[in-house]
Amino acid sequence: MPAQTASPALFASLIDDVVASGSDTVPVPSPATGERHHDLPRSTGDDVRDAVSRARLAQLAWARAGFAHRRRVLLRAHDLILERRELLLDLVQIESGKTRGQALEELVQAAAVTRYNALEAQRVLRGRRVRAGLPTLVTTRVRYRAKGVAGVITPWNYALSLAAMDVVPALAAGCAVVQKADDQGALSILALRRAFIDAGVPEALWAVVTGSADEAGEALTDTVDYICFTGSTATGRRIAGKAGRRLVGASLELGGKNPIIVLDDVDPVQAAADVAYGCFSAMGQLCVSIERIYVHRKIAGPFTAALVERLSDPKLGSALDFDADYGSLASAAQLTRVTAHLDDALAKGATVLVGGKPRTDVGPWFFEPTVLTGVTPEMDVYAAETFGAIASLYLVDDEVEAVLAANASEYGLNASVLTRSSKTAKRVSDALVAGSVNINEGYRGAFSSVAAPMGGVKASGLGRRNGREGLLRFVDPVTVSRTTGVLALPRTGAEFRALEGPFLLLTRALRAIRRS
């Protein structure tokens, strides 16, 4: 399928790929207009269980096909992602309301994740020899066995890139995937999947289901061999509980209330540009985007002025081009959430530094990028994740106060520091408690580093995606040991007595030469 602009016929074709046996559908609106864009079928619990069963059969052959075959298929998929970029960019914008530039970030991320896992899976998972407990008498190696069927639950906000970050390493490791797509991001996921199917991934190996969390979500987490979830901390806790009861693994990327520290040696205009993008890319609807801004008092005046100037006349839009700097909130529910946080803060004494208004002149769910001051602990926006269009600015007297404030959160997903001093950057980044830390950038440095692990601490999640860790979560290590026959291992008391001295001598010798 060549690159093309999205069309109703294409929407219908992609929707046909959802595993759904009934006639129930749900209307999915477009953020650009607020009106129904398409109808999406609903998968039942039986649909999910059937998809998992078919995926199990497909996984056996896929695992046996080997690394070289999987690498070829995934690299073809990588090329198709790039060939179909206009279609994928259109779909991301149509479903999420983000700008073309932010959609491009998703596409590049999906391609990078696919390339990394295609090329690195064999090196990471090919198995290795390890030192045996009794050298010369025993040899030991570790091999990796694919877990089976991974269940992937992804949200609407970064449907393309988040799908790739969980699905592709699972495929590279030899697993099958059944993915529950959010309604608002299903088309993007289905188009991504189509590229992989056309590249040679068996259709049953990567199934996409939809439907409610209570039915489709529960059926998925009840039956798969490993669970990947991206979403709220509250839902993540429930999934973690179920995974624990079933004794299956899970990786959970959850909420964040991410801080950025602006120290007094920065260029205020450049820092304001970095902070504005870190806070309001995708209108703040990104797990790693910034919601708390800690500014050194010495630079607060020029920095604040530069930030206000940058955000005072935001270039908002939803056209399928690169003209807009800021997009729309994704849904009426998101607009309600943002408005509720703003109203609560203003009622309790906060002040709008810039923004603070819906922009229905542009589209139904557009909202100005908003920065608040005077935010205090009794306000919802102080500690709870807003996930959209609002950030709070606080003044600090030094870096110690900034670090303590940044770490004073139940979350620990991403953190950032802006400074010209590499020494200061290292000192502050080492002190921040978060799964990723960005220096002189809001989130993109760590988020784009697909060879490095990504995840959170505290209430921001468990496990890691990307890098070696992202591959290793989809396999079980198997230890295989073999006796060499050089000397029979003792079985009787007399045999142990005879070998006590040599065994102790061997143990002391290994300690002396520092061999593990």
Side-chain angles (χ1 to χ4, degrees):
M1 181 176 62
Q4 57 185 284
T5 301
S7 66
L10 178 63
F11 301 148
S13 172
L14 292 173
I15 288 168
D16 283 344
D17 288 347
V18 174
V19 179
S21 58
S23 58
D24 288 347
T25 61
V26 62
V28 180
S30 166
T33 65
E35 298 175 354
R36 170 189 164 277
H37 183 267
H38 60 274
D39 293 323
L40 194 68
R42 313 298 280 168
S43 304
T44 66
D46 286 339
D47 292 329
V48 173
R49 286 182 283 272
D50 288 345
V52 172
S53 296
R54 291 193 296 271
R56 287 197 190 285
L57 293 176
Q59 187 269 333
L60 297 175
W62 179 250
R64 285 196 299 267
F67 289 110
H69 173 74
R70 295 197 291 272
R71 180 173 60 249
R72 286 192 298 272
V73 170
L74 295 181
L75 288 176
R76 284 200 295 270
H78 168 277
D79 295 343
L80 288 176
I81 290 171
L82 299 183
E83 287 178 20
R84 301 175 185 185
R85 61 189 178 277
E86 297 301 328
L87 166 64
L88 291 167
L89 293 174
D90 284 356
L91 291 175
V92 168
Q93 286 196 268
I94 288 167
E95 291 192 295
S96 70
K98 64 182 58 170
T99 67
R100 195 74 163 183
Q102 289 144 25
L104 181 62
E105 284 187 356
E106 282 211 61
L107 182 127
V108 171
Q109 182 86 347
V113 166
T114 303
R115 185 174 64 254
Y116 172 84
N117 285 285
L119 297 175
E120 292 296 313
Q122 183 170 6
R123 186 183 65 82
V124 174
L125 303 177
R126 64 187 170 193
R128 67 194 190 281
R129 290 191 63 171
V130 299
R131 189 172 309 284
L134 297 170
T136 74
L137 304 185
V138 173
T139 63
T140 300
R141 62 183 296 271
V142 176
R143 65 177 176 86
Y144 295 99
R145 179 175 57 209
K147 286 183 180 291
V149 179
V152 174
I153 302 174
T154 46
W156 47 265
N157 60 320
Y158 270 66
L160 197 69
S161 55
L162 291 176
M165 284 191 278
D166 283 338
V167 172
V168 178
L171 297 177
C175 287
V177 173
V178 177
Q179 180 179 11
K180 182 186 176 300
D182 187 276
D183 295 346
Q184 199 69 37
L187 288 178
S188 299
I189 288 168
L190 290 164
L192 179 68
R193 174 186 176 272
R194 183 75 62 84
F196 280 76
I197 301 307
D198 291 347
V201 170
E203 291 196 26
L205 193 76
W206 178 2
V208 174
V209 298
T210 60
S212 69
D214 289 344
E215 185 171 4
E218 288 295 321
L220 187 66
T221 54
D222 278 341
T223 52
V224 294
D225 305 306
Y226 188 85
I227 304 168
C228 303
F229 173 76
T230 304
S232 72
T233 296
T235 302
R237 292 185 195 278
R238 292 195 294 273
I239 289 175
K242 175 178 282 191
R245 291 190 297 275
R246 292 191 57 224
L247 298 179
V248 299
S251 59
L252 311 169
E253 191 200 287
L254 308 178
K257 190 74 175 176
N258 306 303
I260 192 166
I261 296 172
V262 184
L263 295 178
D264 61 348
D265 61 345
V266 301
D267 177 290
V269 175
Q270 179 62 49
D274 291 335
V275 168
Y277 194 88
C279 292
F280 302 113
S281 173
M283 289 309 293
Q285 299 168 121
L286 172 61
C287 53
V288 292
S289 63
I290 301 300
E291 294 195 14
R292 296 182 287 149
I293 309 165
Y294 296 101
V295 184
H296 197 292
R297 196 176 298 274
K298 289 181 180 179
I299 202 175
F303 169 81
T304 301
L307 185 63
V308 169
E309 181 179 356
R310 190 168 191 88
L311 295 175
S312 288
D313 187 20
K315 197 169 185 180
L316 303 170
S318 58
L320 303 183
D321 55 36
F322 287 97
D323 287 346
D325 296 329
Y326 302 98
S328 172
L329 295 171
S331 66
Q334 281 297 102
L335 179 61
T336 298
R337 180 180 180 87
V338 168
T339 303
H341 270 208
L342 178 62
D343 291 347
D344 174 77
L346 296 180
K348 295 173 181 175
T351 300
V352 173
L353 183 65
V354 64
K357 298 188 294 292
R359 290 292 300 274
T360 54
D361 57 311
V362 184
W365 303 326
F366 278 82
F367 200 91
E368 292 179 342
T370 300
V371 180
L372 301 178
T373 60
V375 172
T376 54
E378 67 270 14
M379 301 174 188
D380 292 339
V381 76
Y382 179 84
E385 183 181 31
T386 303
F387 207 69
I390 297 178
S392 303
L393 188 147
Y394 308 87
L395 302 186
V396 293
D397 290 320
D398 54 41
E399 69 179 62
V400 173
E401 182 184 358
V403 168
L404 290 173
N407 289 341
S409 171
E410 68 170 322
Y411 297 109
L413 187 57
N414 178 48
S416 306
V417 56
L418 306 185
T419 176
R420 289 179 174 176
S421 166
S422 57
K423 183 177 180 180
T424 301
K426 184 179 187 308
R427 183 173 62 247
V428 173
S429 63
D430 286 348
L432 289 168
V433 181
S436 61
V437 178
N438 286 269
I439 297 170
N440 295 327
E441 225 291 312
Y443 67 86
R444 287 182 291 181
F447 190 70
S448 65
S449 298
V450 299
M454 175 190 175
V457 297
K458 298 190 283 188
S460 289
L462 294 171
R464 295 293 184 268
R465 54 161 56 109
N466 290 349
R468 289 177 52 88
E469 292 82 355
L471 280 161
L472 287 167
R473 60 188 164 147
F474 294 109
V475 295
D476 289 319
V478 180
T479 299
V480 181
S481 290
R482 179 179 65 86
T483 57
T484 63
V486 171
L487 181 68
L489 297 180
R491 298 176 182 84
T492 67
E495 290 171 344
F496 273 105
R497 183 184 302 112
L499 290 175
E500 178 185 10
F503 280 177
L504 292 176
L505 178 62
L506 174 62
T507 300
R508 293 189 178 106
L510 292 173
R511 167 66 177 84
I513 63 175
R514 298 179 182 271
R515 299 292 289 271
S516 60

